[in-house]
């Protein structure tokens, strides 16, 4: 465990909060000190949830450590049950309370409450948030399905053998998941189009009674593997329910997902017909934009599900060149490394944002696809960025319908990724004509009825990207005014590299000042 300014994932009890907040009739009692009470901030301010998260804290203080903190926990459990009347209760501890070793889950189990109690043992100093969400959902499902699991039908039997249409559960959507609300709706529409009905969506929006209906479905859709894969594997072993392995993000993955569903239900699905009704993306390959964007260098970092999907979309559907791929999801490091190897890259597996920033600066991409962290990094480096994964900001929880999955999700992805690049082109054009009488900082545009033709254009200050690039050399070389102006005409996404190459050229040849001629000589030198 290390101290850091930013973190991609919280401790595992935050993952448990996500499951409790996602569901109806479930309450989470957390043995935690006063400073760990931040659930309201997470779920009401970032996700704009209309109600407070169902979390009760023991909120012990320093003076309580010399007394009976276990008694304080049991009182909190009893009070939470009497006040909120939950139908299932989760009981766990925060990373600070873990050091006290009060065993809150065992204590709550021995209280004889008339509802299922799920004890959570989530090691805070070795595991993180997504793992905590996965384990919490897994233990919750196992607890609520225990009787059915003990009396499960043998292979081939089914309590619902004669269904008019195949039934599927959608597992994994949870609070603080990226675009889960809209993704669920989009996949529900997609399944309906191919004749599959949705039985249960869990944990988001599900109740304990809904969890009890999970075995009635024919198969499970593992929509978010970070949260649901462990549960799906258990359901397959216990109730003989197969589950999907493909997450439908992007046109190609959506086609493969539909084919996988067809294979499970034993039907031939024409994914192309469904795609023609839903997707607006094929026009892109015939547009001018596709020529401009082909080969753009992109750096991808996020949770494993979204990073893997983004790398496939970028390389196969947009024609981008993926120059960096990584994840903070260590549990899925093997899959990300395998994907990176196919792209001739070394995967970046880390939860240290400083390592990510260094890798982005070295890769010199033209677009960054990542989390809220990468948005800050890209801003400092002067690069366009699109957020594709948690952790995210409130601005990434749009009020409008904006899925990332399915064919409509492919349309949203196109807009989200392409617009930063197109706006970058606009900024570059403005930079190129900055010396024109209409475009410098003090100009009054002629189309607004003003004129400043006689005023002297103000010289623009160096951008953050140039400043960062200029710090690369150990002994910076001076730039002549005309060379600096010419440098600014180079597109922003390769300007940093051009600056570094020119400075390196000047140092190698012992030049104190970079002139316009030096800039052209360096360009010719590195183009050989």
């Amino acid at each position: 465990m290390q101290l850091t300014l930013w973190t991609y994932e919280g401790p595992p009890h935050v993952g448990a909060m996500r499951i409790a907040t996602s569901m109806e009739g479930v309450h989470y009692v957390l043995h935690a000190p006063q400073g760990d009470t931040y659930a309201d901030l997470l779920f009401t301010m970032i996700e704009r949830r209309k109600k407070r998260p169902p979390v009760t804290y023991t909120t012990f203080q320093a003076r309580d450590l010399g007394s009976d903190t276990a008694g304080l926990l049991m009182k909190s459990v009893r009070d939470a049950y009497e006040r909120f009347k939950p139908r299932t209760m989760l009981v766990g501890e925060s990373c600070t309370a873990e050091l006290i070793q009060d065993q809150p889950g065992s204590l709550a189990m021995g209280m004889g409450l008339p509802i299922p109690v799920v004890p959570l043992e989530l090691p805070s100093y070795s595991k993180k948030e997504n793992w905590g969400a996965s384990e919490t959902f897994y233990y919750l499902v196992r607890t609520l399905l225990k009787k059915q699991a003990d009396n499960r039908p043998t292979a081939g039997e089914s309590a619902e053998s004669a269904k008019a249409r195949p039934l599927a559960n959608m597992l994994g959507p949870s609070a603080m998941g990226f675009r889960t609300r809209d993704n669920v709706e989009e996949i529900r529409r997609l399944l309906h189009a191919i004749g599959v009905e949705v039985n249960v969506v869990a944990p988001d929006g599900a109740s304990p009674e809904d969890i009890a209906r999970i075995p009635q479905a024919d198969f499970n859709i593992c929509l978010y593997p970070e949260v649901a894969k462990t549960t799906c594997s258990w359901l397959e072993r216990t109730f003989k329910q197969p589950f999907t392995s493909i997450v439908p993000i992007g046109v190609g993955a959506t086609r493969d997902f539909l084919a996988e569903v067809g294979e499970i239900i034993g039907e031939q699905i024409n994914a192309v017909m469904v795609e023609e009704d839903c997707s607006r993306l094929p026009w892109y390959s015939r547009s001018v934009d596709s020529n401009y964007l082909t080969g753009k260098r992109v750096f991808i970092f996020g949770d494993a599900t979204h990073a893997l999907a983004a790398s496939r979309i970028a390389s196969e559907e947009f024609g981008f060149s993926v120059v960096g791929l990584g994840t903070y999801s260590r549990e899925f490091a093997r899959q990300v490394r395998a994907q990176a190897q196919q792209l001739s890259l070394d995967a970046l597996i880390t939860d240290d944002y400083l390592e990510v920033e260094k890798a982005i600066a070295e890769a010199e991409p033209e677009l960054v696809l990542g989390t809220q962290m990468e948005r800050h990094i890209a801003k400092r480096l002067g690069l366009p960025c699109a957020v594709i994964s948690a952790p995210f900001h409130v601005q990434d929880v749009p009020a409008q319908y904006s899925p990332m999955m399915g064919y409509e999700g492919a349309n949203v992805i196109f807009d989200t990724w392409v617009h930063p690049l197109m706006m970058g082109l606009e900024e570059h054009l403005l930079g190129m004509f900055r010396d024109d009488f209409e475009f410098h900082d003090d100009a009054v545009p002629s189309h607004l009825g003003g004129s400043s033709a006689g005023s002297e254009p103000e010289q623009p200050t160096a951008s953050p990207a140039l400043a960062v690039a200029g710090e690369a050399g150990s002994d910076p070389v001076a730039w002549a005014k005309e060379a600096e102006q010419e440098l600014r005409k180079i597109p922003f996404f390769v300007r940093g590299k051009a600056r570094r190459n020119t400075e390196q050229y000047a140092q190698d040849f012992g030049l104190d000042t970079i002139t316009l001629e030096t800039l052209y000589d360096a360009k010719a030198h590195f183009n050989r």
Side-chain angles (χ1 to χ4, degrees), residues 70-80 111:
L72 180 62
L73 166 74
M74 290 189 287
K75 181 180 183 303
S76 298
V77 170
R78 192 176 297 108
D79 290 348
M111 291 177 62

Side-chain angles (χ1 to χ4, degrees), residues 6 23 91 109 156 312 334 352 358 453:
W6 290 343
M23 299 185 66
V91 181
M109 288 282 288
R312 176 176 178 178
R334 181 177 298 177
D352 186 343
K358 181 181 177 182

Side-chain angles (χ1 to χ4, degrees), residues 77-224:
V77 170
R78 192 176 297 108
D79 290 348
Y81 172 71
E82 292 175 356
R83 178 182 177 185
F84 298 105
K85 295 294 187 289
R87 301 192 292 281
T88 299
M89 184 175 286
L90 307 173
V91 181
E93 57 196 345
S94 73
C95 46
T96 310
E98 186 180 334
L99 301 174
I100 304 175
Q101 297 183 346
D102 276 338
Q103 303 294 321
S106 300
L107 290 172
M109 288 282 288
M111 291 177 62
L113 296 178
I115 58 171
V117 174
V118 183
L120 301 176
E121 294 185 9
L122 307 174
S124 299
Y125 296 94
S126 58
K127 298 293 184 179
K128 293 202 172 183
E129 180 182 328
N130 279 337
W131 183 89
S134 176
E135 288 295 292
T136 300
F137 186 46
Y138 169 61
Y139 283 122
L140 180 64
V141 170
R142 283 197 62 164
T143 299
L144 297 178
L145 294 182
K146 186 176 186 306
K147 289 184 180 179
Q148 295 185 57
D150 292 341
N151 302 307
R152 61 185 180 272
T154 59
E157 286 186 36
S158 173
E160 302 284 339
S161 57
K163 301 185 187 72
R165 298 169 67 126
L167 272 179
N169 299 314
M170 292 169 55
L171 304 182
S174 70
M176 297 300 291
F178 197 71
R179 305 281 174 87
T180 53
R181 176 199 66 184
D182 298 341
N183 286 338
V184 166
E185 183 61 28
E186 182 64 22
I187 300 306
R188 189 192 295 272
R189 292 179 184 179
L190 201 60
L191 292 173
H192 182 76
I194 62 173
V196 176
E197 293 298 326
V198 175
N199 178 46
V200 170
V201 177
D204 204 12
S207 66
E209 294 74 22
D210 292 327
I211 298 297
R213 295 191 294 109
I214 284 179
Q216 297 176 10
D218 299 294
F219 67 103
N220 295 313
I221 295 172
C222 187
L223 211 57
Y224 290 89

Side-chain angles (χ1 to χ4, degrees), residues 430 436-440 443-452:
L430 288 172
D436 185 89
F437 73 93
E438 276 200 274
F439 286 95
H440 65 83
V444 179
S446 60
H447 67 276
L448 296 180
S451 175
S452 57

Side-chain angles (χ1 to χ4, degrees), residues 274-393:
V274 179
E275 178 184 338
E276 288 177 350
D277 291 338
C278 304
S279 179
R280 300 187 189 95
L281 197 60
W283 66 266
Y284 164 69
S285 61
R286 300 187 294 272
S287 71
V288 175
D289 287 348
S290 66
N291 296 324
Y292 164 67
L293 297 174
T294 299
K296 291 295 182 185
R297 295 164 57 83
V298 59
F299 189 101
I300 300 169
F301 191 89
D303 67 40
T305 293
H306 291 92
L308 290 170
S311 66
R312 176 176 178 178
I313 296 169
S315 60
E316 297 181 9
E317 298 175 21
F318 280 70
F320 291 165
S321 174
V322 180
V323 296
L325 175 61
T327 183
Y328 57 82
S329 304
R330 295 184 182 276
E331 294 84 3
F332 294 84
R334 181 177 298 177
Q335 293 93 316
V336 176
R337 286 195 178 99
Q339 178 75 354
Q341 189 173 13
Q342 292 181 11
L343 297 169
S344 302
L345 298 171
D346 292 326
L348 178 63
I349 312 297
T350 183
D351 56 5
D352 186 343
Y353 67 93
L354 294 176
E355 289 186 32
V356 179
E357 181 169 8
K358 181 181 177 182
I360 292 175
E362 291 175 350
E364 299 178 348
E366 297 157 74
L367 174 67
V368 178
L369 303 174
T371 72
Q372 176 67 12
M373 312 277 197
E374 283 66 51
R375 174 185 277 149
H376 289 302
I377 291 169
K379 186 175 182 179
R380 284 203 299 275
L381 297 177
L383 299 171
C385 177
V387 174
I388 62 167
S389 163
F392 50 83
H393 191 267

Side-chain angles (χ1 to χ4, degrees), residues 430-435 439-441 457-463 466 481 484-485 488-489 495:
L430 288 172
M432 282 184 65
F433 294 99
R434 200 174 180 86
D435 290 335
F439 286 95
H440 65 83
D441 292 339
E458 180 182 340
Q459 293 300 325
T461 57
S463 68
L466 288 179
K481 182 178 178 180
E484 189 77 51
Q485 290 177 339
R488 291 195 185 98
K489 295 180 181 179
R495 193 184 302 148

